[in-house]
Amino acid sequence: MKILVLGSGGREHAIIRALQLDPEVQEVHAAPGNAGIALDVPVHAVDATDVTGVTVLAGELNADLVVVGPEAPLAAGVSDALRQAGFTVFGPSKAAAELEASKSFAKDVMAQAGVPTAAAHTCSTVAEAETALDAFGAPYVVKDDGLAAGKGVVVTSDRAEALEHARSCFDVNGTVVIEEFLDGPEVSLFVISDGTNAVPLVPAQDFKRIGNGDAGPNTGGMGAYTPLDWLPDGFVDEVMEAVARPVIATMADRGTPFAGVLYCGLALTSRGLRVIEFNVRFGDPETQAVLARLRTPFGRFLMDAATGCLAGLQELDWSDEYAVDVVVAAAGYPESPLKGGTLAGVAEADALEDVSVLHAGTAQADDGGLVASGGRVLAVVGLGEDLAAARARAYAGVDLISLEGSQHRTDIGLKAERGEITLPEGEAR
């Protein structure tokens, strides 16, 4: 197979590394890629949201499969244009991608499917937002109704801060979704669907806040780990039966079948399982940890999903190892990341045993070196026989990397390593 991967982040680098391990995959190309991806595969200077440019490139490469990584090209209808041009695509249609592009749309689908989720109000005026905030009380949860690259959510006990976020969202997308606060630990589960059938990957937990102890503003994600030993038995089966399959069936009933990755953001609350949000692509940074453990040939798996052939798939093969990834972010991230800083030590970190460095926001400098070109710059993945070993290896890699003013959390997976994650009282299965 010859596969074209669209996107330029750490998620796409992880996807490409996994594809390269599949003996059926002869060539992998990326558009536009980044400096680290360019070290692994050919990259092409085509914006992933450029419908015409992507279609032309897929034709020039004679691609057998196009994998759409980020959410923006899906919302722009790139997958639809490629399918119309005759290409096989892994990624949902623009209509199906509304599950992420509009949180109010996702709430409607969940209501129709009978999926447990947080109570919510969609608001389009300050007065409506004030009423909703007062109805739910603190902590306040305010979400931009549209795409916001993982940073459109504010959770705060400060009503003024919550209302100000709502006002800023009104200026951009016109609406916000205000929800009840969900207690309990959060879990991410990727479910691969061919429009009818669904196959789960392994659960992971990510860390959205910029600082240790979940302090500071939300980011696109500062790290993740898998597996989650503290999850109750049967958790994945419950998610499949109560969430994923009902949503996939409802989307088919609506005439917009969902084929691609259904990212289920979940909370295990005192009232049971609840959906926080859906995304329609692999999550970043969870993908970096999850795919590090996958042993099933990844190219064939995605091709089967893209061609409606998941029904015959046997159970996925996973390594027994633990995986932890730690994001190295630029100074000023997430509000105003400083770009152009020189990176050093990346190759040395990537050469460590059971450590890999995946690039997100990197570019090549004029002298051939690496510079930061985005907020989240790198993710360092460590594998180990237990969580402590995986954490140690990931942080050994981080310690070798230098970037002036860079930020990273030192507590990714730490509570789980210490056995400090507990489920809320009354959490029902």
Side-chain angles (χ1 to χ4, degrees):
M1 285 183 283
K2 183 185 290 186
I3 300 178
L4 170 62
V5 177
L6 302 181
S8 61
R11 162 188 45 234
E12 288 74 41
H13 201 180
I15 289 169
I16 288 165
R17 288 267 178 101
L19 289 171
Q20 289 181 302
L21 297 175
D22 186 340
E24 282 193 64
V25 176
Q26 283 79 44
E27 287 185 42
V28 181
H29 294 252
N34 59 42
I37 291 173
L39 297 175
D40 290 345
V41 301
V43 297
H44 305 268
V46 175
D47 191 300
T49 61
D50 179 354
V51 175
T52 301
V54 166
T55 305
V56 170
L57 176 61
E60 291 174 346
L61 295 175
N62 194 25
D64 298 300
L65 176 67
V66 181
V67 177
V68 186
E71 60 270 31
L74 295 169
V78 167
S79 60
D80 303 73
L82 286 165
R83 287 191 180 97
Q84 189 173 8
F87 295 100
T88 302
V89 182
F90 180 80
S93 66
K94 181 178 181 179
E98 279 290 289
L99 277 173
E100 177 172 2
S102 170
K103 293 175 179 62
S104 56
F105 175 85
K107 289 291 187 184
D108 288 343
V109 171
M110 283 188 274
Q112 184 178 340
V115 168
T117 187
H121 293 297
T122 301
C123 307
S124 56
T125 67
V126 172
E128 290 175 351
E130 290 179 319
T131 299
L133 291 173
D134 293 339
F136 288 128
Y140 304 105
V141 182
V142 183
K143 298 181 176 182
D144 192 328
D145 192 26
L147 297 176
K151 299 186 287 290
V153 180
V154 163
V155 181
T156 178
S157 294
D158 185 334
R159 186 179 182 277
E161 181 185 0
L163 192 60
E164 180 56 35
H165 182 62
R167 285 195 179 99
S168 67
C169 294
F170 292 147
D171 293 339
V172 178
N173 283 318
T175 56
V176 298
V177 174
I178 295 177
E179 296 184 349
E180 64 172 331
F181 176 77
L182 297 176
D183 59 349
E186 297 183 9
V187 179
S188 302
L189 182 67
F190 303 147
V191 178
I192 309 300
S193 172
D194 62 6
T196 303
N197 306 288
V199 176
L201 276 63
V202 291
Q205 187 174 57
D206 78 328
F207 295 75
K208 283 287 191 285
R209 301 280 187 169
I210 186 68
N212 286 350
D214 295 327
N218 269 344
T219 71
M222 294 299 293
Y225 71 96
T226 181
L228 312 183
D229 293 336
W230 48 267
L231 280 177
D233 291 341
F235 172 80
V236 172
D237 291 338
E238 180 183 0
V239 175
M240 295 301 292
E241 294 307 313
V243 178
R245 290 193 178 100
V247 165
I248 290 166
T250 297
M251 292 294 285
D253 289 343
R254 285 174 164 236
T256 53
F258 185 92
V261 183
L262 180 65
Y263 169 116
C264 302
L266 308 156
L268 280 71
T269 78
S270 55
R271 293 181 292 136
L273 179 71
R274 295 290 186 273
V275 174
I276 300 170
E277 65 176 351
F278 290 129
N279 293 333
V280 297
R281 35 74 189 183
F282 286 107
D284 189 342
E286 298 97 325
T287 301
Q288 288 89 314
V290 168
L291 292 187
R293 297 182 54 225
L294 182 66
R295 296 296 175 262
T296 298
F298 193 47
R300 173 48 53 192
F301 181 34
L302 297 187
M303 178 64 84
D304 286 347
T307 54
C309 298
L310 286 182
L313 181 69
Q314 301 300 311
E315 188 172 338
L316 298 177
D317 183 21
W318 297 96
S319 164
D320 291 333
E321 292 176 299
Y322 289 69
V324 173
D325 74 83
V326 179
V327 169
V328 177
Y333 179 74
E335 292 91 351
S336 53
L338 180 64
K339 299 180 182 180
T342 300
L343 282 156
V346 176
E348 291 80 359
D350 204 25
L352 291 176
E353 184 177 1
D354 290 323
V355 173
S356 59
V357 180
L358 300 169
H359 293 236
T362 64
Q364 191 174 59
D366 292 339
D367 63 2
L370 291 172
V371 296
S373 63
R376 289 184 295 171
V377 181
L378 303 164
V380 183
V381 184
L383 290 170
E385 63 275 11
D386 55 29
L387 195 52
R391 292 188 72 251
R393 287 179 178 137
Y395 281 108
V398 171
D399 288 344
L400 290 176
I401 295 170
S402 64
L403 170 65
E404 186 176 358
S406 67
Q407 310 173 73
H408 69 271
R409 286 183 59 159
T410 62
D411 63 348
I412 303 300
L414 183 58
K415 283 188 176 181
E417 179 189 329
R418 293 174 172 173
E420 295 175 352
I421 297 180
T422 58
L423 301 180
E425 287 291 326
E427 198 278 335
R429 309 297 321 151

PDB file of all heavy atoms in Angstrom, residues 8 45 49 54 83 116 125-126 169-171 179 223 230 239 241 253 255 258 266 299 316 326 354 358 379:
ATOM      1  N   SER A   8       0.148  17.829  10.307  1.00  0.00           N
ATOM      2  CA  SER A   8       1.511  18.292  10.598  1.00  0.00           C
ATOM      3  C   SER A   8       1.888  18.168  12.061  1.00  0.00           C
ATOM      4  O   SER A   8       2.874  18.760  12.489  1.00  0.00           O
ATOM      5  CB  SER A   8       1.653  19.759  10.175  1.00  0.00           C
ATOM      6  OG  SER A   8       0.736  20.564  10.896  1.00  0.00           O
ATOM      7  N   ALA A  45       4.482  20.116   0.429  1.00  0.00           N
ATOM      8  CA  ALA A  45       4.051  21.421   0.927  1.00  0.00           C
ATOM      9  C   ALA A  45       2.640  21.744   0.458  1.00  0.00           C
ATOM     10  O   ALA A  45       2.402  22.687  -0.305  1.00  0.00           O
ATOM     11  CB  ALA A  45       5.025  22.500   0.482  1.00  0.00           C
ATOM     12  N   THR A  49      -5.968  21.397   4.564  1.00  0.00           N
ATOM     13  CA  THR A  49      -7.334  21.868   4.322  1.00  0.00           C
ATOM     14  C   THR A  49      -7.562  22.318   2.880  1.00  0.00           C
ATOM     15  O   THR A  49      -8.674  22.714   2.526  1.00  0.00           O
ATOM     16  CB  THR A  49      -7.680  23.041   5.260  1.00  0.00           C
ATOM     17  OG1 THR A  49      -6.781  24.126   5.003  1.00  0.00           O
ATOM     18  CG2 THR A  49      -7.566  22.616   6.718  1.00  0.00           C
ATOM     19  N   VAL A  54      -4.881  18.833  -2.079  1.00  0.00           N
ATOM     20  CA  VAL A  54      -4.791  17.481  -1.527  1.00  0.00           C
ATOM     21  C   VAL A  54      -5.236  16.460  -2.567  1.00  0.00           C
ATOM     22  O   VAL A  54      -4.608  15.398  -2.732  1.00  0.00           O
ATOM     23  CB  VAL A  54      -5.635  17.368  -0.244  1.00  0.00           C
ATOM     24  CG1 VAL A  54      -5.839  15.910   0.141  1.00  0.00           C
ATOM     25  CG2 VAL A  54      -4.986  18.130   0.904  1.00  0.00           C
ATOM     26  N   ARG A  83     -13.082  11.273  -1.746  1.00  0.00           N
ATOM     27  CA  ARG A  83     -13.926  10.121  -2.110  1.00  0.00           C
ATOM     28  C   ARG A  83     -14.601  10.358  -3.459  1.00  0.00           C
ATOM     29  O   ARG A  83     -14.706   9.450  -4.278  1.00  0.00           O
ATOM     30  CB  ARG A  83     -14.976   9.873  -1.025  1.00  0.00           C
ATOM     31  CG  ARG A  83     -14.408   9.279   0.260  1.00  0.00           C
ATOM     32  CD  ARG A  83     -15.501   8.810   1.205  1.00  0.00           C
ATOM     33  NE  ARG A  83     -14.921   8.250   2.420  1.00  0.00           N
ATOM     34  CZ  ARG A  83     -14.759   8.913   3.562  1.00  0.00           C
ATOM     35  NH1 ARG A  83     -15.144  10.191   3.639  1.00  0.00           N
ATOM     36  NH2 ARG A  83     -14.223   8.328   4.613  1.00  0.00           N
ATOM     37  N   PRO A 116     -25.543   8.482  27.750  1.00  0.00           N
ATOM     38  CA  PRO A 116     -25.418   9.293  28.965  1.00  0.00           C
ATOM     39  C   PRO A 116     -24.378  10.390  28.809  1.00  0.00           C
ATOM     40  O   PRO A 116     -23.234  10.138  28.439  1.00  0.00           O
ATOM     41  CB  PRO A 116     -24.973   8.266  30.016  1.00  0.00           C
ATOM     42  CG  PRO A 116     -24.287   7.183  29.236  1.00  0.00           C
ATOM     43  CD  PRO A 116     -25.008   7.114  27.924  1.00  0.00           C
ATOM     44  N   THR A 125     -26.722  34.176  23.590  1.00  0.00           N
ATOM     45  CA  THR A 125     -26.684  35.538  24.124  1.00  0.00           C
ATOM     46  C   THR A 125     -26.102  35.506  25.535  1.00  0.00           C
ATOM     47  O   THR A 125     -26.093  34.469  26.209  1.00  0.00           O
ATOM     48  CB  THR A 125     -28.091  36.166  24.192  1.00  0.00           C
ATOM     49  OG1 THR A 125     -28.874  35.463  25.181  1.00  0.00           O
ATOM     50  CG2 THR A 125     -28.793  36.099  22.838  1.00  0.00           C
ATOM     51  N   VAL A 126     -25.626  36.658  25.972  1.00  0.00           N
ATOM     52  CA  VAL A 126     -25.080  36.758  27.321  1.00  0.00           C
ATOM     53  C   VAL A 126     -26.153  36.441  28.355  1.00  0.00           C
ATOM     54  O   VAL A 126     -25.893  35.761  29.359  1.00  0.00           O
ATOM     55  CB  VAL A 126     -24.493  38.159  27.549  1.00  0.00           C
ATOM     56  CG1 VAL A 126     -24.103  38.360  29.010  1.00  0.00           C
ATOM     57  CG2 VAL A 126     -23.279  38.382  26.654  1.00  0.00           C
ATOM     58  N   CYS A 169     -16.488  33.516  22.946  1.00  0.00           N
ATOM     59  CA  CYS A 169     -16.973  32.507  21.995  1.00  0.00           C
ATOM     60  C   CYS A 169     -18.083  33.066  21.111  1.00  0.00           C
ATOM     61  O   CYS A 169     -18.161  32.744  19.912  1.00  0.00           O
ATOM     62  CB  CYS A 169     -17.472  31.264  22.729  1.00  0.00           C
ATOM     63  SG  CYS A 169     -16.191  30.351  23.607  1.00  0.00           S
ATOM     64  N   PHE A 170     -18.951  33.888  21.681  1.00  0.00           N
ATOM     65  CA  PHE A 170     -20.015  34.504  20.884  1.00  0.00           C
ATOM     66  C   PHE A 170     -19.423  35.320  19.737  1.00  0.00           C
ATOM     67  O   PHE A 170     -19.969  35.346  18.631  1.00  0.00           O
ATOM     68  CB  PHE A 170     -20.886  35.423  21.757  1.00  0.00           C
ATOM     69  CG  PHE A 170     -21.712  34.709  22.787  1.00  0.00           C
ATOM     70  CD1 PHE A 170     -21.987  35.295  24.007  1.00  0.00           C
ATOM     71  CD2 PHE A 170     -22.222  33.444  22.536  1.00  0.00           C
ATOM     72  CE1 PHE A 170     -22.747  34.652  24.972  1.00  0.00           C
ATOM     73  CE2 PHE A 170     -22.987  32.786  23.487  1.00  0.00           C
ATOM     74  CZ  PHE A 170     -23.247  33.393  24.708  1.00  0.00           C
ATOM     75  N   ASP A 171     -18.290  35.960  19.987  1.00  0.00           N
ATOM     76  CA  ASP A 171     -17.665  36.800  18.960  1.00  0.00           C
ATOM     77  C   ASP A 171     -17.135  35.972  17.789  1.00  0.00           C
ATOM     78  O   ASP A 171     -17.002  36.486  16.672  1.00  0.00           O
ATOM     79  CB  ASP A 171     -16.509  37.602  19.567  1.00  0.00           C
ATOM     80  CG  ASP A 171     -16.980  38.641  20.568  1.00  0.00           C
ATOM     81  OD1 ASP A 171     -18.166  39.017  20.508  1.00  0.00           O
ATOM     82  OD2 ASP A 171     -16.164  39.051  21.419  1.00  0.00           O
ATOM     83  N   GLU A 179     -22.490  23.409  30.432  1.00  0.00           N
ATOM     84  CA  GLU A 179     -22.850  22.091  30.925  1.00  0.00           C
ATOM     85  C   GLU A 179     -22.735  22.015  32.445  1.00  0.00           C
ATOM     86  O   GLU A 179     -22.034  22.804  33.077  1.00  0.00           O
ATOM     87  CB  GLU A 179     -21.907  21.023  30.348  1.00  0.00           C
ATOM     88  CG  GLU A 179     -21.979  20.863  28.859  1.00  0.00           C
ATOM     89  CD  GLU A 179     -21.080  19.723  28.388  1.00  0.00           C
ATOM     90  OE1 GLU A 179     -20.262  19.208  29.186  1.00  0.00           O
ATOM     91  OE2 GLU A 179     -21.195  19.352  27.210  1.00  0.00           O
ATOM     92  N   GLY A 223       0.287  15.510  27.804  1.00  0.00           N
ATOM     93  CA  GLY A 223       0.824  14.168  27.962  1.00  0.00           C
ATOM     94  C   GLY A 223      -0.289  13.163  28.171  1.00  0.00           C
ATOM     95  O   GLY A 223      -1.457  13.525  28.353  1.00  0.00           O
ATOM     96  N   TRP A 230      -6.523   1.173  36.854  1.00  0.00           N
ATOM     97  CA  TRP A 230      -7.544   1.500  37.843  1.00  0.00           C
ATOM     98  C   TRP A 230      -8.965   1.445  37.282  1.00  0.00           C
ATOM     99  O   TRP A 230      -9.934   1.588  38.039  1.00  0.00           O
ATOM    100  CB  TRP A 230      -7.277   2.890  38.433  1.00  0.00           C
ATOM    101  CG  TRP A 230      -7.000   3.949  37.395  1.00  0.00           C
ATOM    102  CD1 TRP A 230      -5.790   4.338  36.918  1.00  0.00           C
ATOM    103  CD2 TRP A 230      -7.969   4.762  36.708  1.00  0.00           C
ATOM    104  NE1 TRP A 230      -5.919   5.334  35.979  1.00  0.00           N
ATOM    105  CE2 TRP A 230      -7.246   5.611  35.833  1.00  0.00           C
ATOM    106  CE3 TRP A 230      -9.358   4.851  36.759  1.00  0.00           C
ATOM    107  CZ2 TRP A 230      -7.889   6.538  35.013  1.00  0.00           C
ATOM    108  CZ3 TRP A 230     -10.001   5.775  35.946  1.00  0.00           C
ATOM    109  CH2 TRP A 230      -9.259   6.604  35.088  1.00  0.00           C
ATOM    110  N   VAL A 239     -18.589   1.043  27.402  1.00  0.00           N
ATOM    111  CA  VAL A 239     -18.536   2.191  26.501  1.00  0.00           C
ATOM    112  C   VAL A 239     -19.047   1.810  25.112  1.00  0.00           C
ATOM    113  O   VAL A 239     -19.800   2.559  24.475  1.00  0.00           O
ATOM    114  CB  VAL A 239     -17.105   2.755  26.418  1.00  0.00           C
ATOM    115  CG1 VAL A 239     -17.035   3.875  25.385  1.00  0.00           C
ATOM    116  CG2 VAL A 239     -16.638   3.252  27.769  1.00  0.00           C
ATOM    117  N   GLU A 241     -21.190  -0.545  24.308  1.00  0.00           N
ATOM    118  CA  GLU A 241     -22.632  -0.817  24.296  1.00  0.00           C
ATOM    119  C   GLU A 241     -23.474   0.412  24.621  1.00  0.00           C
ATOM    120  O   GLU A 241     -24.560   0.598  24.075  1.00  0.00           O
ATOM    121  CB  GLU A 241     -22.961  -1.944  25.278  1.00  0.00           C
ATOM    122  CG  GLU A 241     -22.370  -3.283  24.892  1.00  0.00           C
ATOM    123  CD  GLU A 241     -22.715  -3.693  23.465  1.00  0.00           C
ATOM    124  OE1 GLU A 241     -23.901  -3.584  23.088  1.00  0.00           O
ATOM    125  OE2 GLU A 241     -21.793  -4.087  22.724  1.00  0.00           O
ATOM    126  N   ASP A 253     -28.645   5.999  10.838  1.00  0.00           N
ATOM    127  CA  ASP A 253     -30.087   6.238  10.692  1.00  0.00           C
ATOM    128  C   ASP A 253     -30.368   7.648  10.176  1.00  0.00           C
ATOM    129  O   ASP A 253     -31.359   7.873   9.470  1.00  0.00           O
ATOM    130  CB  ASP A 253     -30.797   6.045  12.036  1.00  0.00           C
ATOM    131  CG  ASP A 253     -30.845   4.587  12.475  1.00  0.00           C
ATOM    132  OD1 ASP A 253     -30.626   3.699  11.618  1.00  0.00           O
ATOM    133  OD2 ASP A 253     -31.096   4.331  13.668  1.00  0.00           O
ATOM    134  N   GLY A 255     -28.638   9.135   8.021  1.00  0.00           N
ATOM    135  CA  GLY A 255     -28.144   9.238   6.649  1.00  0.00           C
ATOM    136  C   GLY A 255     -26.751   9.800   6.539  1.00  0.00           C
ATOM    137  O   GLY A 255     -26.294  10.151   5.441  1.00  0.00           O
ATOM    138  N   PHE A 258     -21.011   7.141  10.076  1.00  0.00           N
ATOM    139  CA  PHE A 258     -19.727   7.572  10.612  1.00  0.00           C
ATOM    140  C   PHE A 258     -18.680   6.497  10.375  1.00  0.00           C
ATOM    141  O   PHE A 258     -18.773   5.402  10.920  1.00  0.00           O
ATOM    142  CB  PHE A 258     -19.825   7.862  12.111  1.00  0.00           C
ATOM    143  CG  PHE A 258     -18.552   8.433  12.672  1.00  0.00           C
ATOM    144  CD1 PHE A 258     -18.375   9.803  12.720  1.00  0.00           C
ATOM    145  CD2 PHE A 258     -17.527   7.606  13.106  1.00  0.00           C
ATOM    146  CE1 PHE A 258     -17.200  10.346  13.197  1.00  0.00           C
ATOM    147  CE2 PHE A 258     -16.345   8.135  13.577  1.00  0.00           C
ATOM    148  CZ  PHE A 258     -16.174   9.515  13.629  1.00  0.00           C
ATOM    149  N   LEU A 266     -14.610  10.671  28.115  1.00  0.00           N
ATOM    150  CA  LEU A 266     -15.536  10.106  29.091  1.00  0.00           C
ATOM    151  C   LEU A 266     -15.172  10.508  30.510  1.00  0.00           C
ATOM    152  O   LEU A 266     -14.010  10.768  30.816  1.00  0.00           O
ATOM    153  CB  LEU A 266     -15.518   8.575  28.992  1.00  0.00           C
ATOM    154  CG  LEU A 266     -15.728   8.006  27.582  1.00  0.00           C
ATOM    155  CD1 LEU A 266     -15.140   6.613  27.479  1.00  0.00           C
ATOM    156  CD2 LEU A 266     -17.215   7.997  27.247  1.00  0.00           C
ATOM    157  N   GLY A 299      -1.704  -0.257   8.886  1.00  0.00           N
ATOM    158  CA  GLY A 299      -2.186   0.122   7.562  1.00  0.00           C
ATOM    159  C   GLY A 299      -3.365  -0.723   7.127  1.00  0.00           C
ATOM    160  O   GLY A 299      -4.370  -0.205   6.622  1.00  0.00           O
ATOM    161  N   LEU A 316      -7.659  -6.921  18.408  1.00  0.00           N
ATOM    162  CA  LEU A 316      -6.386  -6.262  18.163  1.00  0.00           C
ATOM    163  C   LEU A 316      -5.301  -6.819  19.088  1.00  0.00           C
ATOM    164  O   LEU A 316      -5.574  -7.262  20.203  1.00  0.00           O
ATOM    165  CB  LEU A 316      -6.519  -4.756  18.380  1.00  0.00           C
ATOM    166  CG  LEU A 316      -7.491  -4.021  17.456  1.00  0.00           C
ATOM    167  CD1 LEU A 316      -7.570  -2.549  17.836  1.00  0.00           C
ATOM    168  CD2 LEU A 316      -7.094  -4.181  16.009  1.00  0.00           C
ATOM    169  N   VAL A 326       5.160  12.545  27.168  1.00  0.00           N
ATOM    170  CA  VAL A 326       5.262  13.843  27.817  1.00  0.00           C
ATOM    171  C   VAL A 326       5.471  14.899  26.741  1.00  0.00           C
ATOM    172  O   VAL A 326       6.394  14.788  25.923  1.00  0.00           O
ATOM    173  CB  VAL A 326       6.436  13.875  28.811  1.00  0.00           C
ATOM    174  CG1 VAL A 326       6.548  15.254  29.463  1.00  0.00           C
ATOM    175  CG2 VAL A 326       6.272  12.779  29.868  1.00  0.00           C
ATOM    176  N   ASP A 354      13.819   2.180  24.125  1.00  0.00           N
ATOM    177  CA  ASP A 354      12.402   2.263  24.487  1.00  0.00           C
ATOM    178  C   ASP A 354      11.911   3.704  24.621  1.00  0.00           C
ATOM    179  O   ASP A 354      10.989   3.980  25.389  1.00  0.00           O
ATOM    180  CB  ASP A 354      12.108   1.484  25.774  1.00  0.00           C
ATOM    181  CG  ASP A 354      12.227  -0.020  25.575  1.00  0.00           C
ATOM    182  OD1 ASP A 354      11.839  -0.506  24.497  1.00  0.00           O
ATOM    183  OD2 ASP A 354      12.699  -0.702  26.496  1.00  0.00           O
ATOM    184  N   LEU A 358       8.388  12.238  19.025  1.00  0.00           N
ATOM    185  CA  LEU A 358       7.451  12.542  17.948  1.00  0.00           C
ATOM    186  C   LEU A 358       7.296  14.047  17.843  1.00  0.00           C
ATOM    187  O   LEU A 358       7.044  14.727  18.841  1.00  0.00           O
ATOM    188  CB  LEU A 358       6.102  11.862  18.217  1.00  0.00           C
ATOM    189  CG  LEU A 358       6.184  10.335  18.321  1.00  0.00           C
ATOM    190  CD1 LEU A 358       4.884   9.751  18.836  1.00  0.00           C
ATOM    191  CD2 LEU A 358       6.542   9.720  16.969  1.00  0.00           C
ATOM    192  N   ALA A 379       6.607  15.396  21.554  1.00  0.00           N
ATOM    193  CA  ALA A 379       6.128  14.465  22.569  1.00  0.00           C
ATOM    194  C   ALA A 379       7.166  13.360  22.700  1.00  0.00           C
ATOM    195  O   ALA A 379       7.564  12.752  21.710  1.00  0.00           O
ATOM    196  CB  ALA A 379       4.770  13.877  22.194  1.00  0.00           C
TER     197      ALA A 379
END
